[in-house]
Amino acid sequence: MIDKMRELITNYVDVSPAEISEDSKFIDDLGFNSYDFMSFLGEIEDEFDIEVDEREALKIHTVGEAIKYIESEVN
């Protein structure tokens, strides 16, 4: 899952996949702005065939939190 997240993240920000860990914060560490993040969430919805709840999206700050959310929705 982390490899898939790295692939998706690098579509939005100029960061090396090797620099992305589950502890990476989307805004502080990876350089996402709010538009990038919302677009990224849209791609997650398409990629994993889920719908990201807006209230839950506000709680996602790190790559690991995004992975946990996706896994909880897919299962």
Side-chain angles (χ1 to χ4, degrees):
M1 177 69 81
I2 187 69
D3 290 332
K4 185 62 179 174
M5 293 298 285
R6 286 179 175 132
E7 177 185 329
L8 295 175
I9 289 167
T10 56
N11 291 332
Y12 293 91
V13 292
D14 186 25
V15 62
S16 165
E19 296 176 50
I20 302 169
S21 73
E22 289 194 22
D23 294 328
S24 298
K25 294 178 183 169
F26 286 103
I27 293 172
D28 296 338
D29 298 331
L30 302 176
F32 274 74
N33 62 38
S34 57
Y35 177 79
D36 291 335
F37 188 68
M38 295 310 292
S39 298
F40 171 71
L41 291 178
E43 189 167 351
I44 283 178
E45 289 179 329
D46 293 343
E47 184 71 30
F48 296 98
D49 195 29
I50 62 173
E51 188 166 329
V52 178
D53 182 271
E54 290 180 29
R55 291 181 305 268
E56 293 301 314
L58 295 174
K59 299 175 187 176
I60 298 172
H61 302 286
T62 68
V63 175
E65 290 169 348
I67 290 171
K68 286 179 188 163
Y69 179 79
I70 293 165
E71 290 174 343
S72 74
E73 293 297 306
V74 169
N75 295 331

